[in-house]
Amino acid sequence: MNDRILDFAIRYGFLILLVGLIVYFSLAAPGFFGPLSAAFVLQSVAITGILALGVTCTLVVGGFDLSIGAVATSALMLSAYSMVILEHPAIVAVALCLVMGALVGLINGLLIVKFRVPDLLATLGMMFLLIGLQRIPTQGNSISTGMTLSGGTVAEGTFSAAFLWLGRHRFDVIIERLLPMPVVIFVVIAVLIWLFLGFTRHGRLMYAIGSNARAASLVGTPVNRYKVIAYMISGVTASVGGILLAARLGRGDIASGNNLLLDSVAAALIGFAVLGAARPNAFGTAMGALFVGILLQGMTMMNAPYYTQDFVKGAVLVVALVFTFYLSSRRTGTGH
């Protein structure tokens, strides 16, 4: 009987907690339960969620990408630089950012598989490199139309309407202009990564590499190639997040995106607890991002001080991880 209860707690505990949180905030904070509030929560987690899905791919192959926040802010600055200073059209700016993300992922992957640099150190080094690199072209200034450049000239370029549409457009669902474009992109990426990891041969091989890379290579799996691909997926999804952030802000803000890394990693790690997976998975990551978003939106609507939010986020993450790994070890220990 105890085993059955433990099994149920591991499998459904997190989702029950999520529903409980929604019910609590709906009763405690007027206006929390409604389409506008739901759209706001989804918009607040869309970019974090996209980055978290990229991290999930690296976690699957037994890696970890700490450079995602820096890739996202680099894409933010690169898209702004491309359109405002170089006066490129939106399509060129987007293409540059995606190529940059893929290139960073490729370099991360090669550092790890060819040069044997541990993944945390390789991606941490890349993070510092990118944070420095994105500030050099503008001497650490944010990028906006009409800014004075170092030579005394004025930046004439603007963010094109097509580019801003990516971050600001809202679709009519139930009520007018409800569903933000970034949320649609987040859902599409989540479904694609969920299908890729869970239902394709490539996804199954990536999980096999994560659980035992040596055994996977012995049966002929190209371990290094899959690891590099995982980091490239992470780089591209992070640059998509940066593009959407730039499109929402309408300027290359050097300070925005500071919390992206921590929030994304939290979402991906909380995802381990969803449905008792005890392993990285796309559905869990999306639920983890949603959980963090609901928690922060509810706290905000109840006028909780902003400085308590990181503490609560950290506490939830620790509880979710203890829940996942301690209970899962108990379950395997009881031979269940």
Side-chain angles (χ1 to χ4, degrees), residues 43-110:
Q43 180 167 356
S44 71
V45 302
I47 292 170
T48 304
I50 290 168
L51 268 69
L53 288 162
V55 177
T56 302
C57 291
T58 63
L59 288 168
V60 165
V61 294
F64 200 78
D65 190 354
L66 283 175
S67 67
I68 47 160
V71 172
T73 50
S74 296
L76 166 84
M77 296 304 286
L78 179 59
S79 58
Y81 193 85
S82 172
M83 284 182 289
V84 173
I85 295 172
L86 302 179
E87 299 183 31
H88 289 152
I91 188 100
V92 174
V94 169
L96 280 173
C97 290
L98 295 178
V99 168
M100 182 273 298
L103 187 64
V104 169
L106 177 65
I107 295 168
N108 277 337
L110 291 175

Side-chain angles (χ1 to χ4, degrees), residues 244-262:
L244 293 176
L245 191 56
R248 201 169 84 200
L249 295 172
R251 64 196 294 262
D253 190 353
I254 203 88
S256 60
N258 287 346
N259 273 353
L260 283 176
L261 172 64
L262 295 177

